[in-house]
């Protein structure tokens, strides 16, 4: 990778954990920790100043938790990829984070090699979710759907929407989808909005999980 390393901001109230991640990342040529914050308020300020490529943020922090911080960052149009990094594998936490605009959800008990592999994926714009949460998410989506709701209908989508749906299922961001299909981010956003409405789904993550379940991502 000849481009400059992907910049990472760590927001976590455990200094030892931040140090451990920084040491891991420092061994990689294509990623670099450019800032650390021990609380959400400092993290938000640093994120708006630095606009890092990737923000790795704890879910449970004193004063302001990760979900609230995530919402604030999205409200301020921070374009960084934001991945939650937490001990909680509770379905409610995972769903809340992804609905609030997280680009990923990783568990702190993962192996260091797996952690670095996932960060690489996140840094290039892929959505990352710890393996054991994917099944949980699929079940959550099934049980959260009101029974009377019509099943998502793939055939109701236009050819372009189908292309975009498959790319969302691969975990690509709007920017990457736009680049791949040679259209602007804004155009991708409009298509995503339309296909969510047609499929009666509420977020890109629901689209991705549904597409994977239906075998539409190949």
């Amino acid at each position: 990778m000849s481009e400059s390393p992907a910049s990472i901001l760590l927001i976590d109230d455990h200094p030892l954990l931040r140090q451990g991640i920084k040491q891991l990342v420092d061994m990689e040529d294509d990623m670099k920790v450019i800032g650390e914050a021990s609380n959400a308020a400092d993290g938000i300020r640093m994120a708006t100043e630095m606009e890092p490529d990737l923000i790795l943020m704890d879910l449970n922090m004193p004063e302001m938790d990760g979900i609230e911080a995530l919402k604030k960052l999205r409200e301020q149009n921070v374009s960084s990829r934001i991945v939650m990094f937490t001990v909680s594998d509770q379905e409610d936490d995972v769903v809340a984070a992804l609905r609030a605009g997280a680009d990923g959800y990783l568990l702190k008990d993962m192996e260091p090699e797996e952690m670095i592999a996932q960060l690489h994926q996140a840094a290039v714009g892929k959505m990352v979710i710890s393996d054991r949460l994917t099944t949980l998410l699929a079940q959550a989506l099934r049980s959260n759907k009101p029974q009377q709701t019509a099943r998502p209908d793939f055939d109701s989508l236009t050819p372009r929407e189908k292309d975009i749906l498959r790319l969302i299922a691969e975990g690509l961001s709007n920017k990457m989808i736009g680049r791949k299909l040679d259209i602007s981010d804004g155009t991708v956003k409009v298509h995503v909005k339309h296909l969510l409405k047609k499929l009666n789904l509420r977020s890109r993550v629901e689209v991705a999980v549904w597409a994977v379940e239906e075998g539409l991502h190949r």
Side-chain angles (χ1 to χ4, degrees):
M1 213 168 164
S2 57
E3 296 168 31
S4 56
S7 52
I8 300 175
L9 170 65
L10 304 177
I11 307 175
D12 195 299
D13 59 329
H14 295 100
L16 210 60
L17 187 102
R18 293 200 309 272
Q19 189 185 346
I21 295 171
K22 191 171 185 304
Q23 284 174 346
L24 275 176
V25 170
D26 282 348
M27 290 192 277
E28 305 296 308
D29 295 333
D30 52 359
M31 295 192 291
K32 183 178 173 59
V33 172
I34 59 161
E36 297 178 47
S38 59
N39 60 68
D42 286 347
I44 292 169
R45 182 180 49 74
M46 290 172 78
T48 50
E49 284 168 11
M50 296 174 159
E51 284 276 341
D53 296 316
L54 180 64
I55 296 171
L56 196 61
M57 181 159 62
D58 191 8
L59 189 70
N60 303 309
M61 291 182 283
E63 291 165 41
M64 188 195 304
D65 68 19
I67 304 282
E68 204 183 324
L70 175 62
K71 287 176 180 166
K72 282 189 170 22
L73 286 166
R74 289 306 184 215
E75 278 164 18
Q76 292 179 26
N77 290 321
V78 169
S79 60
S80 315
R81 311 277 296 162
I82 303 174
V83 173
M84 306 312 289
F85 188 50
T86 175
V87 291
S88 171
D89 58 1
Q90 296 302 301
E91 181 186 300
D92 292 354
D93 286 336
V94 183
V95 172
L98 298 170
R99 291 222 164 111
D103 296 297
Y105 195 104
L106 299 176
L107 296 172
K108 287 183 176 177
D109 62 0
M110 65 199 314
E111 294 293 330
E113 301 77 26
E114 172 64 6
M115 164 88 196
I116 285 294
Q118 295 280 29
L119 285 183
H120 277 294
Q121 291 292 305
V124 297
K126 293 278 184 87
M127 188 166 65
V128 291
I129 295 178
S130 285
D131 285 348
R132 78 167 190 261
L133 297 177
T134 316
T135 318
L136 176 142
L137 260 178
Q139 286 164 350
L141 292 183
R142 274 200 296 269
S143 58
N144 284 350
K145 286 275 163 286
Q147 291 313 300
Q148 68 274 25
T149 303
R151 269 181 63 75
D153 180 13
F154 182 66
D155 295 327
S156 68
L157 302 180
T158 64
R160 177 43 56 95
E161 287 165 354
K162 288 178 182 176
D163 288 342
I164 288 172
L165 178 126
R166 288 192 178 97
L167 293 172
I168 289 175
E170 284 177 30
L172 269 63
S173 63
N174 284 355
K175 196 175 278 183
M176 289 180 74
I177 292 172
R179 213 177 288 164
K180 206 153 194 172
L181 299 178
D182 203 21
I183 54 179
S184 74
D185 295 9
T187 307
V188 176
K189 237 177 224 171
V190 172
H191 283 308
V192 171
K193 203 165 130 188
H194 287 164
L195 69 84
L196 284 174
K197 200 171 174 192
K198 284 184 184 177
L199 297 173
N200 200 26
L201 296 170
R202 281 180 288 186
S203 70
R204 304 166 64 87
V205 179
E206 292 195 9
V207 170
V209 173
W210 174 73
V212 169
E213 280 208 294
E214 297 290 318
L216 301 171
H217 63 304
R218 290 274 169 257

